Amino acid sequence: MKARVEKVFRHLDPRPDVLLLANATDPHLDQTFFYLFDVPAGLFEGSVAIAHPDGELDVLSSPLESESAYQAAKHDPHVKVHVVGRGDETEGLVKKLVGSAADIGLHYRELTHDWFVRLSKMLPSVTWSDASNAVRRARVTKDAEEIVRLRRAAEIGSAVGREIPPLLQEGVTELGLAAEMEYRMSRHGASGRSFATIVAFGAHGAEPHYSPGETRLASGDSIVCDFGAYYRRYASDITRSFHFGRRDEELKKIHDTVEAAQAAALSVIRPGVPGKEVHLAAQRVIDASPWKGRLNHGVGHSIGLSVHDGWGYNTTVDDPLEEGMAITVEPGIYLPGRGGVRIEDDVVVTKTGYEFLSTAPRAYLEVPA
Ligand code: GLY
Ligand code: MN
């Protein structure tokens, strides 16, 4: 997409002669490849994209997804697809397409070392430069089409979020509930999950990145469900916390505090506000409660072609929010050995504030056992 290629080049300083992106094997695919080449389907392992400062894009695709590649290029006059079958063909064509380029930008954060060695042998006299920051800056503010997809991904996640309460049945396992949620995301139109679904019962909720197991739901458990969908390559990321059975006054108060922390973080979101202010607004609410210090992660992160795409919002981010950024807002309180509560929504920064992308109800819900 010409506008996106030009956007990345605007952020490149100094500007290389070309920008080269190379995919290894799944999951080592550079999502920037798909940022510039808007192809909704296909894996594109081993594929290369060469972006030029005038907005033109050469894409080397394998025959495995040549049909998708040709279809996508048909709608974009600035993309030229080259189908290559073997590694040596790729190398010959890369050399030809970079031509006399003396300085080539690479996405260091996503390029595998194997690719770097191959490219260095292929093009021994080239100077490499790191395009990672430019790529990140370009990708972190979304265009209209990206927001449409993020909203749809969040709608799919929200639909599943609304369906969770009746699935909370005595004896269901964490893995079983996670599988059911992922199945439902697909039924609602997701191309897949945007990360491994977290379902944590009881004390497991105290670990933010818990991996579900065979623990069965029992009366009195708190429940943390953190899940997201991919829609046309764009991710959502939502967390909802529930309570099963017998009321727990402390967990109810914790939930109220997390809701208040999320509301405080949301209330500061608008262009120009340093990212850390979003975190600090939530942290202040939690630190003024009996659960001081129990927020043990950044309060959010950018979201886009991957679930953690760009910045994480913690106390160190001075960069200001900009219109079009899509971020999560996800405060939590964690009590080791007891459980946790996290509430997470996806929002997009607007001219004057923010808009929700995710919509599932976030109020405290006690599901009768
Ligand atoms: N959804 C998991 C996380 O944001 O870390
Ligand atoms: Mn998240």
Side-chain angles (χ1 to χ4, degrees):
M1 293 181 95
K2 190 170 193 288
R4 293 186 190 168
V5 172
E6 289 173 342
K7 190 176 178 192
V8 175
F9 270 95
R10 272 200 301 279
H11 287 289
L12 281 164
D13 181 23
R15 210 169 82 163
D17 298 317
V18 295
L19 170 69
L20 189 153
L21 306 166
N23 288 338
T25 46
D26 191 32
H28 304 289
L29 307 173
D30 185 347
Q31 295 304 313
T32 313
F33 177 91
F34 301 109
Y35 178 65
L36 301 182
F37 180 45
D38 185 20
V39 59
L43 204 50
F44 291 90
E45 288 182 330
S47 289
V48 173
I50 297 167
H52 304 269
D54 60 0
E56 300 295 308
L57 187 71
D58 285 296
V59 171
L60 280 65
S61 161
S62 89
L64 292 173
E65 49 265 305
S66 56
E67 202 42 49
S68 302
Y70 283 134
Q71 283 299 325
K74 224 162 69 180
H75 301 290
D76 188 338
H78 302 285
V79 173
K80 193 153 178 227
V81 167
H82 312 261
V83 174
V84 280
R86 297 192 319 267
D88 54 344
E89 281 177 3
T90 301
E91 297 191 2
L93 196 55
V94 167
K95 273 195 212 168
K96 188 169 146 211
L97 292 169
V98 301
S100 58
D103 188 329
I104 298 183
L106 299 174
H107 190 192
Y108 284 17
R109 278 202 195 105
E110 296 289 331
L111 191 81
T112 60
H113 188 68
D114 179 62
W115 254 117
F116 185 68
V117 170
R118 271 175 79 186
L119 288 167
S120 302
K121 281 190 189 144
M122 227 186 275
L123 302 161
S125 50
V126 155
T127 302
W128 310 106
S129 56
D130 184 9
S132 299
N133 279 331
V135 162
R136 181 159 75 170
R137 294 208 91 88
R139 276 173 53 178
V140 88
T141 57
K142 274 49 182 187
D143 58 36
E145 176 57 24
E146 292 181 286
I147 292 171
V148 166
R149 294 184 195 181
L150 285 164
R151 194 180 296 281
R152 182 85 174 93
E155 274 166 8
I156 292 167
S158 300
V160 173
R162 282 189 282 273
E163 292 171 7
I164 294 171
L167 301 175
L168 299 175
Q169 308 264 345
E170 181 111 34
V172 66
T173 65
E174 293 167 334
L175 279 166
L177 178 56
E180 180 66 31
M181 289 165 61
E182 291 178 4
Y183 165 73
R184 284 169 185 248
M185 286 198 279
S186 298
R187 290 287 300 261
H188 283 293
S191 57
R193 64 184 192 187
S194 56
F195 59 97
T197 300
I198 298 168
V199 171
F201 295 159
H204 296 156
E207 185 174 315
H209 278 179
Y210 174 75
S211 297
E214 289 179 277
T215 300
R216 294 185 183 278
L217 186 61
S219 181
D221 278 345
S222 59
I223 300 142
V224 178
C225 298
D226 186 344
F227 52 100
Y230 265 133
Y231 178 75
R232 290 179 70 110
R233 299 198 191 276
Y234 281 78
S236 58
D237 185 7
I238 298 171
T239 307
R240 292 294 181 258
S241 300
F242 307 92
H243 195 76
F244 185 61
R246 192 168 40 73
R247 180 164 216 171
D248 183 318
E249 288 303 334
E250 187 187 26
L251 284 166
K252 160 81 173 87
K253 284 188 193 130
I254 289 176
H255 200 284
D256 291 346
T257 306
V258 174
E259 266 190 88
Q262 195 198 38
L266 289 165
S267 74
V268 302
I269 295 178
R270 63 183 171 280
V273 169
K276 65 183 175 194
E277 293 301 331
V278 183
H279 177 90
L280 290 170
Q283 191 180 304
R284 273 193 288 271
V285 171
I286 292 171
D287 284 351
S289 79
W291 300 284
K292 183 171 191 292
R294 294 297 183 182
L295 170 65
N296 62 9
H297 54 72
V299 85
H301 52 86
S302 325
I303 190 165
L305 283 153
S306 63
V307 69
H308 294 153
D309 193 356
W311 278 279
Y313 288 94
N314 53 37
T315 53
T316 65
V317 182
D318 292 318
D319 296 81
L321 298 177
E322 291 174 55
E323 185 182 357
M325 284 181 170
I327 64 174
T328 69
V329 182
E330 51 176 308
I333 290 178
Y334 307 96
L335 304 179
R338 174 123 166 75
V341 171
R342 180 167 63 259
I343 306 173
E344 176 176 29
D345 282 280
D346 305 340
V347 304
V348 62
V349 181
T350 62
K351 248 189 211 4
T352 53
Y354 69 93
E355 256 174 41
F356 277 111
L357 297 172
S358 49
T359 56
R362 47 192 81 76
Y364 188 64
L365 187 64
E366 291 165 328
V367 178

